[in-house]
C-alpha cells in the first residue's frame, strides 16, 4: 500500500476566554479557533509495526519519537480498535513547538486521520474521537481542522463560517509551557475567572457571509485571557505584538493559545505581505508565516 499523507494545519485561537478552573483541576475555556494555511506534513506507510521518523527544518525540536503525540494518539487508538494496522510515520516538522498553535496536537490529529484511512474507520468513529480527547485538549478540534467555537476542555465544538482572513503569524523562537502559563494565571480548583455575580454570556458571532471587517470588530471585543500571564513568563511576546502593530495595516493583533506565537489580521493580503517583510527585516531570527486564516 502506498504512503498516505495528511497535513497538520496550525491552529490559531482568535479568542481565548478562561471561564474558570474546575474542581478536577482542568480549565473550562471558550475559544474561537481558526486554522492557518501553514502545516506540518505527516505520511504513513501502513505496516505491522509503529515507527516515527522526523525530518524538516524543526525536526531537532521534536524530542524523542516515543514522546511525540503522534505515538500517543496511535497507541490510544490501538487500545480501542482490535488489530489496528499501524505502520511507519514520517513527520516533516515545519511549525514551531510549544508555540500556542497546536503543532503537536495537529500532528496527532493527522496521525489519527491517517490511521482511520488505513483501517477504513469513519472520521466520526467514537473510538477515534475518544483517542483524540485523551491525547490532548486541542486534538479534537485539530481532527476536523475547521473553524469553530471550542468550549469545555476542548470536547465541545460548534462550527463557524469564517471568511479567509489575511494574516501574519510570528513566533520569536521561544518555547512557552502551557502548564506554566495556566499556573501563572493563578486560578484555584473550583474558582471562576469571572466574578461570582457576573452573568456569562456567549458572544454573538457573525453569521455566514459576514465580512472580514465584521469579524474583526466582533473578535476585538473578546480577548485572550492567557496573554497577560504568558507575557509575564516571556516578555518577548509583548515585543512581537508591538512589531505586528507597528508594521502597518494590522486590524487586530493578539497572542494565540498560551503563546508565544502571535498573529495579526489584515483586510488586504498585500498589506499583510508588506507587514511581514518589515518584521522579517527588523527581526530576521523570528519564525514567520504570511497567509490566511479560515
Amino acid at each position: 500500500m502506498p504512503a498516505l499523507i495528511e497535513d497538520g494545519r496550525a491552529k490559531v485561537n482568535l479568542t481565548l476566554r478562561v471561564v474558570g478552573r474546575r474542581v478536577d483541576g482542568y480549565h473550562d475555556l471558550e475559544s474561537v479557533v481558526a486554522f492557518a494555511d501553514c502545516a506540518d506534513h505527516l505520511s504513513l506507510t501502513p505496516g505491522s509495526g509503529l515507527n516515527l521518523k522526523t525530518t524538516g527544518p524543526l525536526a531537532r525540536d521534536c524530542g524523542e519519537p516515543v514522546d511525540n503525540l503522534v505515538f500517543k494518539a496511535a497507541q490510544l487508538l490501538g487500545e480501542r480498535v482490535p488489530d489496528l494496522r499501524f505502520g511507519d510515520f514520517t513527520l516533516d516538522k515545519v511549525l514551531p513547538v510549544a508555540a500556542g498553535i497546536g503543532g503537536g496536537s495537529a500532528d496527532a490529529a493527522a496521525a489519527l486521520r491517517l490511521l482511520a484511512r488505513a483501517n477504513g474507520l469513519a472520521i466520526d468513529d467514537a473510538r477515534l474521537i475518544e483517542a483524540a480527547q485523551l491525547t490532548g485538549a486541542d486534538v479534537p478540534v485539530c481532527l476536523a481542522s475547521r473553524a469553530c467555537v471550542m468550549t469545555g476542555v476542548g470536547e465541545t465544538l460548534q462550527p463557524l463560517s469564517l471568511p479567509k482572513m489575511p494574516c501574519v503569524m510570528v513566533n520569536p523562537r521561544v518555547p512557552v509551557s502551557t502548564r506554566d502559563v495556566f499556573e501563572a494565571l493563578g486560578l484555584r480548583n473550583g474558582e471562576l475567572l469571572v466574578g461570582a455575580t457576573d452573568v456569562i454570556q456567549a458572544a454573538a458571532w457573525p453569521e455566514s457571509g459576514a465580512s472580514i471587517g465584521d469579524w474583526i470588530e466582533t473578535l476585538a471585543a473578546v480577548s485572550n485571557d492567557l496573554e497577560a500571564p504568558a507575557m509575564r513568563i516571556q516578555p518577548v511576546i509583548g515585543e512581537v505584538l508591538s512589531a505586528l502593530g507597528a508594521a502597518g495595516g494590522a486590524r487586530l493583533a493578539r497572542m494565540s493559545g498560551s503563546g508565544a506565537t502571535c498573529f495579526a489580521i489584515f483586510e488586504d493580503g498585500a498589506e499583510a505581505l508588506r507587514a511581514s517583510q518589515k518584521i522579517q527585516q527588523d527581526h530576521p531570527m523570528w519564525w514567520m508565516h504570511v497567509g490566511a486564516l479560515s
Side-chain angles (χ1 to χ4, degrees):
M1 187 174 181
L4 305 173
I5 300 172
E6 286 278 345
D7 285 342
R9 293 173 64 194
K11 169 221 59 145
V12 174
N13 299 93
L14 299 178
T15 68
L16 202 166
R17 186 184 191 195
V18 181
V19 177
R21 188 172 185 176
R22 306 191 317 192
V23 293
D24 61 7
Y26 289 98
H27 290 79
D28 277 317
L29 309 175
E30 181 183 73
S31 178
V32 174
V33 177
F35 287 85
D37 51 2
C38 56
D40 290 336
H41 311 289
L42 187 67
S43 67
L44 171 65
T45 302
S48 57
L50 175 57
N51 301 289
L52 172 64
K53 178 176 70 174
T54 55
T55 63
L58 298 179
R60 68 181 183 275
D61 298 332
C62 290
E64 295 298 321
V66 292
D67 297 325
N68 196 288
L69 289 184
V70 167
F71 249 86
K72 181 178 179 180
Q75 290 170 335
L76 286 167
L77 186 61
E79 293 170 2
R80 285 153 181 79
V81 180
D83 301 319
L84 185 74
R85 189 181 190 189
F86 293 110
D88 297 322
F89 286 103
T90 299
L91 173 62
D92 180 29
K93 191 64 181 171
V94 175
L95 303 176
V97 302
I101 53 175
S105 297
D107 299 340
L112 291 173
R113 292 195 301 271
L114 287 169
L115 289 170
R117 290 169 59 189
N119 289 273
L121 301 177
I123 197 65
D124 60 352
D125 189 300
R127 298 166 296 180
L128 197 74
I129 295 171
E130 184 180 20
Q133 291 173 342
L134 292 172
T135 303
D138 280 339
V139 180
V141 72
C142 290
L143 194 61
S145 292
R146 294 173 182 164
C148 68
V149 179
M150 179 176 68
T151 55
V153 291
E155 79 282 10
T156 304
L157 308 173
Q158 175 189 346
L160 285 176
S161 179
L162 280 179
K164 284 197 172 183
M165 299 187 291
C167 78
V168 175
M169 299 166 57
V170 177
N171 182 279
R173 298 189 186 272
V174 174
V176 178
S177 164
T178 299
R179 181 187 297 273
D180 291 347
V181 173
F182 274 106
E183 286 183 358
L185 188 63
L187 293 181
R188 298 181 301 274
N189 287 7
E191 182 181 2
L192 292 177
L193 186 60
V194 298
T197 59
D198 290 341
V199 177
I200 301 173
Q201 295 180 333
W205 305 113
E207 297 182 358
S208 178
S211 67
I212 295 174
D214 290 338
W215 269 100
I216 291 172
E217 182 179 354
T218 306
L219 292 169
V222 186
S223 63
N224 180 344
D225 291 336
L226 298 181
E227 199 170 283
M231 278 195 284
R232 291 197 294 270
I233 295 171
Q234 289 292 354
V236 69
I237 294 170
E239 297 179 32
V240 175
L241 289 169
S242 294
L244 285 166
R251 293 287 309 278
L252 178 70
R254 181 169 288 165
M255 187 185 81
S256 175
S258 56
T261 302
C262 300
F263 65 92
I265 299 175
F266 300 76
E267 288 199 80
D268 180 80
E271 287 184 325
L273 179 59
R274 286 193 294 270
S276 71
Q277 291 169 338
K278 175 173 172 43
I279 296 171
Q280 190 74 72
Q281 181 179 0
D282 295 340
H283 303 278
M285 300 305 295
W286 288 357
W287 177 92
M288 184 180 308
H289 172 74
V290 56
L293 302 173
S294 61

